[in-house]
Amino acid sequence: DTAVSQTPKYLVTQMGNDKSIKCEQNLGHDTMYWYKQDSKKFLKIMFSYNNKELIINETVPNRFSPKSPDKAHLNLHINSLELGDSAVYFCASSQDDTDTQYFGPGTRLTVL
Amino acid sequence: LAKTTQPISMDSYEGQEVNITCSHNNIATNDYITWYQQFPSQGPRFIIQGYKTKVTNEVASLFIPADRKSSTLSLPRVSLSDTAVYYCLVGDHLTGGSYIPTFGRGTSLIVHP
């Protein structure tokens, strides 16, 4: 059983397009996150949700919009994709915001 | 915001002990230090967490001095499969109660035969 899953694993798209990445966790956790990892492996938090409510929005362009339909899901929608959005995006979850985080396998986004 | 500094890379050989140090000079009084391991094409996974002194589990040990401004992850007798990127994590407790986890830039460990 996969604890934190993301789809798709790979996403290749053109500049200007809109795309979504889905995340689901079956751990019963209250907090979910989105991270961006660049080519130098720097892992930076983008958003944090606790019980479907936005807790953190870290200097992310408003082209990125997270949506949490329920506690087990946190999806990331990206409008008007730019070249600089190319990265690996990780979803994670934890019981509360200071607890151990469990990461998904990542989605490699390539913007051409 | 909390800031961590780690060596960018380290090399070791099978069977050796590896120590990776992370400095976190402005760690909050109530914050824990957590280390994660990441293999290529996978998400990071938890290794160990501590608040002060020494913590040991089946995978690693974590040494934290009294001033808590740094921590050292110790991997005993590494094998080729320990080749990975290792991140330390501290965070910021903001007014209003929210917490921002801050990962270091990671240390790429390569274990040679």
Side-chain angles (χ1 to χ4, degrees):
Chain A
D1 252 358
T2 305
V4 182
S5 58
Q6 296 178 228
T7 53
K9 190 162 176 61
Y10 300 96
L11 188 51
V12 181
T13 188
Q14 301 284 334
M15 277 176 56
N17 283 350
D18 303 338
K19 290 293 178 186
S20 293
I21 307 172
K22 295 187 176 181
C23 177
E24 176 181 1
Q25 54 97 1
N26 62 7
L27 297 167
H29 287 162
D30 287 340
T31 306
M32 294 185 73
Y33 312 82
W34 276 107
Y35 286 87
K36 179 180 180 182
Q37 186 172 49
D38 62 22
S39 57
K40 295 183 178 169
K41 302 295 185 185
F42 182 37
L43 198 59
K44 183 164 171 53
I45 190 164
M46 301 173 69
F47 300 102
S48 164
Y49 266 72
N50 185 276
N51 272 316
K52 295 170 48 180
E53 286 190 30
L54 179 66
I55 304 298
I56 300 170
N57 178 349
E58 277 292 286
T59 58
V60 177
N62 57 15
R63 299 182 294 105
F64 290 79
S65 52
K67 295 276 192 310
S68 182
D70 56 57
K71 213 172 75 163
H73 296 84
L74 181 62
N75 304 323
L76 184 65
H77 188 76
I78 316 169
N79 288 327
S80 304
L81 278 155
E82 300 177 357
L83 294 177
D85 297 332
S86 295
V88 181
Y89 291 84
F90 287 100
C91 176
S93 74
S94 62
Q95 185 50 50
D96 65 43
D97 58 4
T98 58
D99 256 350
T100 301
Q101 295 182 41
Y102 293 80
F103 283 79
T107 296
R108 181 174 293 278
L109 172 65
T110 303
V111 182
L112 303 175
Chain B
L1 288 181
K3 183 173 157 45
T4 59
T5 305
Q6 308 175 226
I8 293 174
S9 63
M10 295 182 72
D11 288 87
S12 184
Y13 292 89
E14 284 190 289
Q16 289 188 333
E17 178 185 81
V18 171
N19 296 307
I20 305 173
T21 297
C22 178
S23 63
H24 27 78
N25 290 317
N26 56 348
I27 186 171
T29 306
N30 56 349
D31 202 11
Y32 281 76
I33 300 146
T34 312
W35 284 79
Y36 288 79
Q37 175 191 56
Q38 185 181 26
F39 297 115
S41 301
Q42 293 185 26
R45 66 174 191 174
F46 172 86
I47 302 177
I48 198 166
Q49 183 183 67
Y51 182 79
K52 62 179 180 179
T53 63
K54 178 184 173 183
V55 179
T56 297
N57 63 20
E58 64 278 4
V59 175
S61 294
L62 180 59
F63 298 91
I64 304 168
D67 66 6
R68 301 192 345 109
K69 292 184 185 298
S70 66
S71 58
T72 298
L73 174 72
S74 181
L75 305 171
R77 297 180 298 284
V78 293
S79 63
L80 297 177
S81 63
D82 292 316
T83 294
V85 179
Y86 292 83
Y87 294 91
C88 72
L89 167 70
V90 294
D92 288 285
H93 296 265
L94 304 181
T95 306
S98 58
Y99 175 82
I100 302 180
T102 303
F103 280 84
R105 289 186 174 266
T107 298
S108 177
L109 172 66
I110 299 176
V111 180
H112 303 275

